[in-house]
């Protein structure tokens, strides 16, 4: 497929179109409003489903092939926040708190972007390693910890409650569901997995579509903050994921991942957290302006990755891993 | 029937603060609380919990001294950085003793 | 099948029985209460699913066969509110506001009655044109606009906010989800449709059953207002859908629709709105008594159409279109 | 700590009025609001939003003058046709200035 | 505009009591009520509805006499065994007559 | 299979693992919190699905084979509360109200434990009579009535509203959905059942898994009351279900049930109610301490039955019915 065809497959997928519908609903000021409880339910479902599927796959994976990608992922979680922080401080002239907040978001990962990547690769017909959800879990926390640590070191006592933030991070629902789901999947194996597949596998893409409808509305509400966020943030929200995506794909190829697996590691690196990071940053770095990190992560990077990033990182993976 | 006057303190706060606020209330001498879910807008911009769509409305019945301590504490520890407001008022209850416990533990 | 058999197929379907269970739950004062959020979620789901399925079908429809039914539907949307208004004013001696409110409800359409009609025809084994959801969208708004316009002309300035009501109507969630779903379905085509079919197609009848359980409770709560609503409203709520249903079937046959398609157009004409119309009327015609229009639409016409109307309009379509 | 007295106006209204009411509040000089979801019954019969199961409970902290304007406005623009009630009371806050902005914009 | 003072009685109660409480309120002379969903903690241990996660917050605007009757009734009929608290306060409304109906029916 | 293998099949099933994850989430104080509305929705769904499936099966059952098990079940509903009350009074030295409350809970039944038993037997590959859900409905109410009656007779006027409690019991949502679902299933038969099977059958195990995640959190919150509940309650919560389970299996074998059916009757007898009984007891016996009956039923007996009870009662059924 050419990149145009890939873009078309992606942009005309139900999930991207539902995201666009959500944006439109907000822009025309529709009274459409998904209940908060539905949003919460879908996000719990998606995390658990990703974990379960990954766990079942892990049960059939030799750990020998898993260590290199795991290390590569951990490494990404250490480099990206430092890189993002420097860019935000030096080029963006941001305060320590704001720069560290951005670093936490871009170093961590968005599980929904990951799910969208899986769906995209399925539609294109590309296979990927089954243990990828484990990489999501590995990438989620370290970057946030490092970013908070940078803020602590660079800024002196911050008022925020550092230790509390760390505890909440490790026991946060996204980690708990992802890792818990993986352990359940791993313990119960294919037989147990088959019992719950009608809910956790068959309905996955439909649920993701529903979720993206809501996320489109959320993202569009962030659009109105774009002007006050400024040009730097717009550029950061687009160029940062491209660079991180490239890094991720490259690390994936070094770690011996397939084209599909490298694509996904690229997506993980490129994606910005919007569940774990905001909650942790809000508590540990209350001075950081949510108008910056939420707008960048949800209003710019998420739509960019969803619409353009997925086919882009796949194309990069084809070049780098596939040698095409 | 004898009615006693106690203070009702109401706090509107972003959801992410729930645990901390309830902990603080208990520490300052409140013997109970009631929490509802609300949403709202104020003078500050967005807060991190906004896009998750909710804030908390916490009510606690306390004696006047504890009420003052709570407002004081919120003003110094939360108002500067968080989307939090609070107000107090007099209300009548039947059994004042239940709410009038001593300050802090 | 005889009409008795048709009635039996319909009355013993899970959806009608669930509706009856909802009525019973309210009458025996059970503590059963579906969460509001579930109700909202199901109605969003149903509208989106109807739209999606219609859109995928539309992608495979030649527009040549679509224009006549579309025009016939638009025409129904213009005639029925005028007709309903006259009847309510002349025979029912209602106030301008109350008559216009009824006209808005009966001229517009109930998406759930439409979904029930599809399910009924599927159970009987009758095929219908795939583009019927587009007709739902076409029929939803015009009648409400016309009814509000009648009230404006007949009653002078009404206090209600006309323009605001119109804007809210066009951007209302039912239109947005229905039309949005159709466009998504149309753009993504059968391939994208297949990805989300487990959620949006396979679960449709079950979700409709669940929804009708709730709607049965809602309808039964309206029953207690029946006495104060009076005999006219009772008659209106039953005779109006029959006449409108006949009109709809006839227009359908003129527009070249199949027996199934004409049945559905009859159902659309016969059905009374209970999402878009109440919201618009409440804002634009606050003097109108909701005790009248909600009771007629939800407490009388909806149960009548669900239980008796569906087989009736199908029988009419057999006679008129099928020549039997 | 200095406490100031401001007015807390609470409005219970059918859900369909949300946008209009919040717009009116802003227009009359309120600088913030908090909304919760409730249900209820009064002397009027059903209202259109009833079967969708909910009403709104809107709270706004304002100065006395704005409070009076809000009650006045609700009484003339909403009470006749809509299921709306409202009440006002005095409450103490820490930083009165936040809520005591001038009337209207 | 003339403002009248009426009493606002607020009751926090475990959800299982909804029907009984609303029935009692009506019986004691309240002409309307508003119910919200909350959760909370007090001095009593768990209550049966706790694990279903919610309590009710019932508000009713009544005249002073009815308010006193309601508080009295709650204190004798519910406080001993149920997780219920209640408090009353003065509020200003535009049309007092709506809420000031005679006591009981 | 040996009992070790059975235990393993059970403990490594997705539903038991999800329950464990819920417990862990509470113990580590995670911010994971399922919306109350999801909980309510899932419990409505499970009850309706159990009823529907049972009703469809009942439509194909000869009533001749149904009377003996029905009578045996009714009998269990009369004996168990008397037995449980005596134990709680004599051995536990509990107050009349507390003992009667426990009797109501242990005499009645937990629909979720029933669902878990079905899932367990399916996983092991054991068949059971299709009309078992009818036995759930039969066992639900009588024990509660008897327990309240005992309290009335033993304790004189109790302050609680007896008649109101009874009415609410009979119209309670669990009875209404279970019996209503059965009637719907019975009337609509296999054809209607097939229409809604994707929702009510295929998704059942997944939904149960989700539900148990929440119930794990609920149960774990009860753990902290264990110390104050005392040793008697801990013993009661484990030994009572074993004795009742044995009784149930034995009655099942006398009534001619298969091994699977006897297992399930054992599970029903062993299970303690946590929907209908708490609500009824709270109203009729407000002096009873919920810290006792909720902790015993949800914090001890439910986890015990789920983890160990299911394979245990099955093994008992193998011995007693299967003669192995
Ligand atoms: N004047 C006000 N009246 C009522 N609620 C307010 C007011 N101002 C702020 N709030 C509430 O307090 C939260 C935080 O306000 P702020 O810190 O001003 O952004 C808002 O989301 C509102 O829920
Ligand atoms: N006396 C009252 N006390 C508390 N809330 C009331 C009272 N009367 C009315 N309400 C609330 O206001 C809404 C509209 O009342 P009404 O316009 O009297 O039908 C009701 O749905 C209640 O939520
Ligand atoms: N001091 C208090 N302030 C606010 N709400 C309270 C207070 N004490 C109790 N409550 C509420 O009343 C309910 C029952 O309290 P209790 O009967 O003390 O367990 C709790 O769940 C809280 O919602
Ligand atoms: Na990242
Ligand atoms: Na119509
Ligand atoms: Na039992």
């Amino acid at each position: 497929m050419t990149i145009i065809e890939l873009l078309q497959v992606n942009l005309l997928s139900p999930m991207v179109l539902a995201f666009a519908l959500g944006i439109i609903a907000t822009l025309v000021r529709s009274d459409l409003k998904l209940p908060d409880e539905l949003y919460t339910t879908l996000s719990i479902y998606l995390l658990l489903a990703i974990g379960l599927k990954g766990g079942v796959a892990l049960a059939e994976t030799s750990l020998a092939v898993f260590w290199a990608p795991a290390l590569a992922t951990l490494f990404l979680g250490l480099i990206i926040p430092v890189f993002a922080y420097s860019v935000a401080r030096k080029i963006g002239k941001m305060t320590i708190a704001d720069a560290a907040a951005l670093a936490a978001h871009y170093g961590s990962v968005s599980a929904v972007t990951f799910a969208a990547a899986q769906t995209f690769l399925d539609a294109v017909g590309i296979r990927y390693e089954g243990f990828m959800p484990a990489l999501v879990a590995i990438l989620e926390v370290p970057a946030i910890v490092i970013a908070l640590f940078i803020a602590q070191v660079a800024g002196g006592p911050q008022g925020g409650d550092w230790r509390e933030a760390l505890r909440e991070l490790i026991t946060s629902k996204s980690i708990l569901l992802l890792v818990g789901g993986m352990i359940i999947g791993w313990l119960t194996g294919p037989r147990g997995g088959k019992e719950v597949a009608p809910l956790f596998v068959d309905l996955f893409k439909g649920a993701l579509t529903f979720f993206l409808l809501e996320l489109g509305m959320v993202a569009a509400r962030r659009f109105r903050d774009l002007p006050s966020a400024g040009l730097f943030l717009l550029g950061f929200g687009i160029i940062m994921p491209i660079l991180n995506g490239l890094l991720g794909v490259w690390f994936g190829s070094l770690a011996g991942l397939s084209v599909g697996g490298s694509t996904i590691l690229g997506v993980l690196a490129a994606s910005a957290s919007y569940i774990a990071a905001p909650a942790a940053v809000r508590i540990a770095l209350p001075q950081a302006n949510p108008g910056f990190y939420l707008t960048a992560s949800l209003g710019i990077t998420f739509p960019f990755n969803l619409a353009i990033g997925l086919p882009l990182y796949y194309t990069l993976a084809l070049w780098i891993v596939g040698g095409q | 029937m004898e009615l006693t006057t106690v203070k009702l303190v109401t706090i509107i706060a972003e959801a992410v603060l729930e645990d901390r606020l309830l902990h603080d209330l208990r520490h300052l001498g409140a013997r109970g609380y009631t929490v509802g879910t609300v949403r709202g807008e104020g003078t500050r911009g967005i807060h991190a919990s906004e896009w998750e769509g909710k804030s908390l409305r916490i009510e606690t019945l306390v004696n006047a001294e504890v009420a003052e301590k709570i407002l004081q504490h919120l003003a110094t520890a939360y108002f500067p950085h968080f989307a939090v407001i609070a107000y107090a008022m007099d209300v009548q209850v039947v059994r004042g003793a239940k709410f009038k416990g001593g300050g802090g533990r």
Side-chain angles (χ1 to χ4, degrees), chain B residues 22 32-34 38 42 44 48 54 63-65 70 73 84-85 96-97 102:
Chain B
L22 296 182
Y33 63 86
T34 300
V38 293
R44 234 163 313 213
K54 56 178 193 253
N63 66 32
E65 181 204 346
I70 292 173
H73 173 69
V84 174
I85 66 165

Side-chain angles (χ1 to χ4, degrees), chain A residues 222 278 282 288-291 293-294, chain B residues 12-16 38-42 44-56 81-84:
Chain A
R222 286 282 73 79
R282 191 72 188 115
N289 184 352
Y293 55 77
L294 282 183
Chain B
I12 318 279
E14 44 190 304
V16 90
V38 293
R39 55 208 153 81
E41 232 176 83
R44 234 163 313 213
I46 54 166
H47 40 87
S49 0
E50 188 206 302
W51 75 271
E52 293 214 319
K54 56 178 193 253
S55 305
L56 303 173
H81 291 307
F82 294 102
V84 174

Side-chain angles (χ1 to χ4, degrees), chain A residues 32-305:
Chain A
L32 176 64
K33 211 185 138 348
L34 272 62
D36 292 340
E37 289 77 10
L38 174 58
Y39 177 85
T40 311
T41 299
L42 285 173
S43 69
I44 292 172
Y45 164 86
L46 292 174
L47 288 164
L48 203 54
I50 291 172
L52 265 171
K53 213 176 133 201
V56 172
L58 218 51
E60 299 171 312
T61 302
S62 141
L63 286 202
V65 302
F66 177 65
W67 287 112
L71 254 178
T73 305
L74 200 61
F75 218 66
L76 284 170
L78 305 182
I79 300 173
I80 294 178
V82 177
F83 174 47
Y85 177 81
S86 312
V87 171
R89 282 290 282 170
K90 303 254 164 72
I91 308 184
K93 310 281 178 227
M94 295 198 139
T95 68
I96 290 175
D98 285 330
L102 281 175
H105 284 71
Y106 281 79
S108 185
V109 69
S110 148
V112 170
T113 313
F114 167 73
Q118 285 187 313
T119 304
F120 168 72
L121 291 178
D122 288 350
V124 180
I126 302 299
R127 297 178 52 85
Y128 44 86
E129 285 77 2
F131 54 71
M132 299 314 288
L135 303 188
V136 179
I138 291 174
L139 195 51
E140 184 145 25
V141 169
I144 304 179
V145 175
I146 287 175
L148 299 187
F149 183 74
I150 293 175
Q152 201 74 359
V153 169
Q158 297 285 323
D161 191 337
W162 212 86
R163 247 174 311 261
E164 179 63 10
L166 187 59
R167 193 198 63 77
E168 290 192 2
L169 201 55
I170 290 166
T171 63
S172 72
K173 67 176 177 192
S174 49
I175 287 296
L176 191 106
L177 290 167
L178 204 54
V179 174
M182 262 189 309
I183 294 175
I184 292 178
W186 186 71
L187 286 173
T188 203
R191 193 178 68 180
K194 230 183 64 188
E195 286 183 17
V196 295
L199 179 62
F200 287 110
V201 177
D202 299 351
L203 294 188
F204 190 81
K205 284 170 194 172
L208 184 61
T209 300
F210 225 118
F211 191 77
L212 284 172
L213 175 63
E214 166 75 17
L215 224 46
M217 295 196 272
V218 171
R221 284 200 290 272
R222 286 282 73 79
F223 288 173
R224 62 169 187 219
D225 290 322
L226 279 183
S228 70
L231 265 184
F232 167 72
L233 218 58
L234 188 69
F236 187 92
I238 290 177
I239 294 169
M240 206 66 200
I242 296 180
L243 296 179
N244 291 344
L246 186 59
L247 204 68
V249 170
W250 183 48
F251 273 48
S253 83
L254 293 181
L257 288 176
S258 66
V259 169
S262 299
T263 303
I264 289 187
L265 193 55
V267 169
L268 295 183
S271 74
S273 164
Y274 69 95
I275 297 184
V281 163
R282 191 72 188 115
I283 286 193
L285 291 175
Q287 324 87 300
N289 184 352
F292 292 160
Y293 55 77
L294 282 183
T295 302
S297 155
L298 264 170
I300 305 171
T301 299
F302 182 78
F304 171 78
N305 277 334

Side-chain angles (χ1 to χ4, degrees), chain B residues 39-101:
Chain B
R39 55 208 153 81
E41 232 176 83
T43 51
R44 234 163 313 213
I46 54 166
H47 40 87
S49 0
E50 188 206 302
W51 75 271
E52 293 214 319
K54 56 178 193 253
S55 305
L56 303 173
R57 184 180 187 277
I58 306 178
E59 287 181 324
T60 184
L61 290 164
V62 291
N63 66 32
E65 181 204 346
V66 173
E68 169 126 17
K69 272 202 253 170
I70 292 173
L71 290 181
Q72 183 77 59
H73 173 69
L74 293 174
T76 57
Y78 293 94
F79 287 7
H81 291 307
F82 294 102
V84 174
I85 66 165
Y87 51 85
M89 69 186 90
D90 285 333
V91 301
Q92 286 89 50
V93 298
V94 177
R95 300 191 187 157
K98 181 174 168 74
F99 310 108
K100 281 194 159 170

